[in-house]
Amino acid sequence: MLSLAGGTPSPVYFPFDNLKADALVCDSFSTTARTQNKGALSWLWDLFSNTQVSTTPISIPKYAENPNEIDLAVSLQYGLARGIPQLQKFVQEFSRKVYKPPYDNFATLLHTGNTVGWMKAVTTFCNPGEGVLTSEWTYPSAIATMAPCGIRAVPVSMDGQGMSSNALREVLAEPHPILRPHVMYCVPVGQNPTGATMQMQRKKEIYDICVEFDIIIVEDDPYYFLQEGPYILPYQRASALKESEPGDEEYLRSLAPSFLAFDYQGRVVRLDTFSKTIAPGSRLGWFTCNPLFAERLERQSETSTQAPCGFGQSLVTKLLLDWKFTGYLRWLKGLGVEYRRRRDFFIDCIVETFHIELAPPSQNMFHGSEMYLASAFIPSSVPDKCIKTHLFSFVPPTSGMFVWLKLHFDSHPKVGELGHKTLEMKLWVELAEAGLLVGPGSMFSANPSGASPSDPGHFRISFSYAEFKDLRKAVEILDRVLKKFYRDL
Amino acid sequence: MLSLAGGTPSPVYFPFDNLKADALVCDSFSTTARTQNKGALSWLWDLFSNTQVSTTPISIPKYAENPNEIDLAVSLQYGLARGIPQLQKFVQEFSRKVYKPPYDNFATLLHTGNTVGWMKAVTTFCNPGEGVLTSEWTYPSAIATMAPCGIRAVPVSMDGQGMSSNALREVLAEPHPILRPHVMYCVPVGQNPTGATMQMQRKKEIYDICVEFDIIIVEDDPYYFLQEGPYILPYQRASALKESEPGDEEYLRSLAPSFLAFDYQGRVVRLDTFSKTIAPGSRLGWFTCNPLFAERLERQSETSTQAPCGFGQSLVTKLLLDWKFTGYLRWLKGLGVEYRRRRDFFIDCIVETFHIELAPPSQNMFHGSEMYLASAFIPSSVPDKCIKTHLFSFVPPTSGMFVWLKLHFDSHPKVGELGHKTLEMKLWVELAEAGLLVGPGSMFSANPSGASPSDPGHFRISFSYAEFKDLRKAVEILDRVLKKFYRDL
């Protein structure tokens, strides 16, 4: 068939004759206890070990000799909104093997990152005026995406596993001014901002409630492969860590299941992204959902983003095909251990710096999780007398990038005069002036604008990016500023 | 400042140590008459000349030594929705020098292709229930993008320069059921599907009407650099073509101006794309507009697509910075001449195959343009007697990728029985069965669904992609099928 139907340029006019890259090998990062017990000095090891990387060359020609191979003539041309066939095939197999949806004809289609993936879900599933169920603390961009469509967040209380199933049932059972929400947005692993991770039982409970009230679950799961496991205090750690790399099935079993694993009705739309596993700039991810939803989401993509960028698609696909499924799993295993090292190092710094004890149940906002209570001795108005003051508490996260600090402003001398929200802002400014930027908790509130969040006074602190020496420095700044902040204002 | 605020991974975990490519040199394609007079045999030349290309290597390290240089640690990280600074700077300078907006503080920001650029304009400027002014024949995806937002097309009649200014005034002056449209969508150069190009005077007229009625003009201009100039019949062509390459200013003056050039009020939002000048798969383009609109569009991007793909951004930027502004203009000059060669070759094939004459004004749907009327001698019911039958007419496009054929079904023996719309469909099927796929005209109608288009019976034929031998073959198929179609059905 001779096609003169499309407005497509000839690949002769693409000014790239090939692409090449040196890609890291899939076992670049250790999967075992290796540096785990080096404790506070591991940043030194880090400094030296990262100067050299092992790479293998990859290359993509303009015209492949074999039609199954990736080439630029296809990747840089207009293409299917759901992505180039080789990458579609890879993610379809990946979703099947990793998330194990219990129905056969689930569909996968590429998108250009979870933020726009969520936008497509909103414009596909919601109508103006509706509400969407979210956790009471949530990713603010998810709310900002909905707002221009006239869709508001309906917040649900949380505990140590994220959204509470009891609270969800209460919210759904109460009368709704317009329509009862029929879509849920959730980040079930390493939740943004609280770091909470839903385990199997909680997901089952929430899924069953969603069946009862006919709710579509949109599972935005960027931190899925950053499951670090429970935090173990340094002196107990060595004996608790594995000495050998887990096999593929053992590794996958160790991960909290996706909502897809329970999805016998096809009501889950899962958003995966390569932002945390390859690079945020890849702007590449995929939907996994039932074929009816997938068809609608694909039409959405065709009239908006179209296909993901061909430079990114071809390079990421070539890398994944070179690594193969098991090689990519090897990369993910290493990545999880790297984030565990980061999490451990950061929490270790806090544990070493502050006086730490387990919070009594009455002070534990996240029921069911071990909450650490951090205190310091603050000089009082009585000369030479220090008072042990509760500064903040937190649940050491088992996944993701964030520690969610609850600030104990009740111990602050001016709490009655200023209130929690103002104190949060003031402390945030003090920290910034001392050279430390953290995420102010108030920006993560899902409560409608104007209303005050249910429980103000938090910071989201990310241990994902900084070098280890800077993580230590950050805790030092936090210590210095907090001690000053609780003494005088 | 130590930032633990963002959820950003360390670049240590990006599995690419560098990117490299062999890029075509900017003068890969001739800018002069070179092959123009080779006529129908130029595809042979084409075949041999494209087997070898001149390239220069480009490379992007993970960590650049100079902070002004592009590197992967930045390009593959979360970044500004408006694009990496080096590319922002390039497109800002490009818009200033090429489109010459008459105000200083215009803004440019990157987007991920004109389709999503238009979607962002719709969601930013329109409210559900409104209408958007479009040409009566228009890019169907633009309408499909609006539809889910509850926004309908308000079609305006066209002539040889695209949207008619008189018709626009009439549409705006008549009473509107809900709200008078306040946004216009147009493809002013090499319009999709008609190939029409608006010249300076028409743009001024339309701009003035938009001032009078307070309309925002969204100028979607992907074919701007495919301005091929008037079609000249082969026997007159050699003497009419330039022998030397035009200078940069001469070249820019030769192009129809952008609406931006008249935009003293800041009501134009221009959409540029690299899809036709670099590659569609780059999914990269930019807005040029006033800073107030730009700020809103940037917020839209932050909560949807975020930044364009970092692989694409870094590679395209490195190429453009290597070529520099004048090198990129050199590439565009060559590209324009390549499309002229394609346009000339395809129209030459039609002129050689059919009996061609200039259409009399009464049959010229595109007033003000030279319209070619194609006929053939078709056997009649009287044995051994052929009747000269008008098959189709067209205006040879001066820009873009498309020839818009108006089919003269009035000459068809069964027009009374079947009507134009059915004949268009039947002929489209006949062509497809004979191995030629073209764009059926009905899909480009901006008239509300259900209503029949004002003037059915068109095909959009693209000369942008196929090899020259296939363009010739396509015209042979068209000839064979048309002759059969008009003889018996």
Side-chain angles (χ1 to χ4, degrees), chain B residues 96-119:
Chain B
R96 185 172 59 75
K97 288 182 173 168
V98 175
Y99 308 125
K100 303 181 171 63
Y103 62 107
D104 283 338
N105 66 336
F106 69 91
T108 49
L109 58 152
L110 275 287
H111 58 58
T112 60
N114 281 9
T115 304
V116 79
W118 169 237
M119 195 204 68

Side-chain angles (χ1 to χ4, degrees), chain A residues 268-408:
Chain A
V268 173
V269 179
R270 183 180 165 85
L271 305 178
D272 270 284
T273 175
F274 289 111
S275 288
K276 276 40 172 210
T277 59
I278 303 280
S282 59
R283 298 286 83 218
L284 202 57
W286 73 97
F287 295 102
T288 308
C289 59
N290 75 60
L292 184 72
F293 288 177
E295 189 275 340
R296 291 287 83 193
L297 291 165
E298 188 170 356
R299 296 292 89 79
Q300 261 288 338
S301 294
E302 284 170 356
T303 56
S304 58
T305 53
Q306 299 192 1
C309 172
F311 292 102
Q313 279 200 91
S314 55
L315 285 160
V316 169
T317 308
K318 190 80 176 81
L319 175 74
L320 292 173
L321 294 184
D322 278 10
W323 278 353
K324 300 194 176 65
F325 174 74
T326 203
Y328 184 43
L329 276 199
R330 175 61 188 80
W331 173 260
L332 296 173
K333 290 174 196 171
L335 213 55
V337 172
E338 284 294 302
Y339 278 87
R340 184 171 66 195
R341 283 210 307 133
R342 293 186 153 270
R343 190 269 321 263
D344 286 350
F345 181 81
F346 185 64
I347 306 288
D348 288 353
C349 290
I350 293 179
V351 167
E352 287 162 19
T353 305
F354 297 93
H355 179 88
I356 294 286
E357 59 203 302
L358 284 181
S362 63
Q363 285 184 41
N364 189 342
M365 60 180 172
F366 281 167
H367 306 293
S369 301
E370 270 197 352
M371 173 167 275
Y372 285 39
L373 182 58
S375 311
F377 287 86
I378 309 279
S380 74
S381 51
V382 180
D384 300 328
K385 186 169 157 51
C386 287
I387 295 172
K388 184 182 163 191
T389 308
H390 292 162
L391 300 176
F392 60 88
S393 54
F394 64 98
V395 175
T398 61
S399 306
M401 299 180 156
F402 309 117
V403 179
W404 181 240
L405 293 193
K406 162 70 182 157
L407 297 150
H408 287 228

Side-chain angles (χ1 to χ4, degrees), chain B residues 217-232:
Chain B
I217 300 171
V218 182
E219 175 178 60
D220 178 8
D221 219 353
Y223 313 106
Y224 189 80
F225 296 100
L226 313 185
Q227 295 194 34
E228 299 134 6
Y231 173 75
I232 297 166

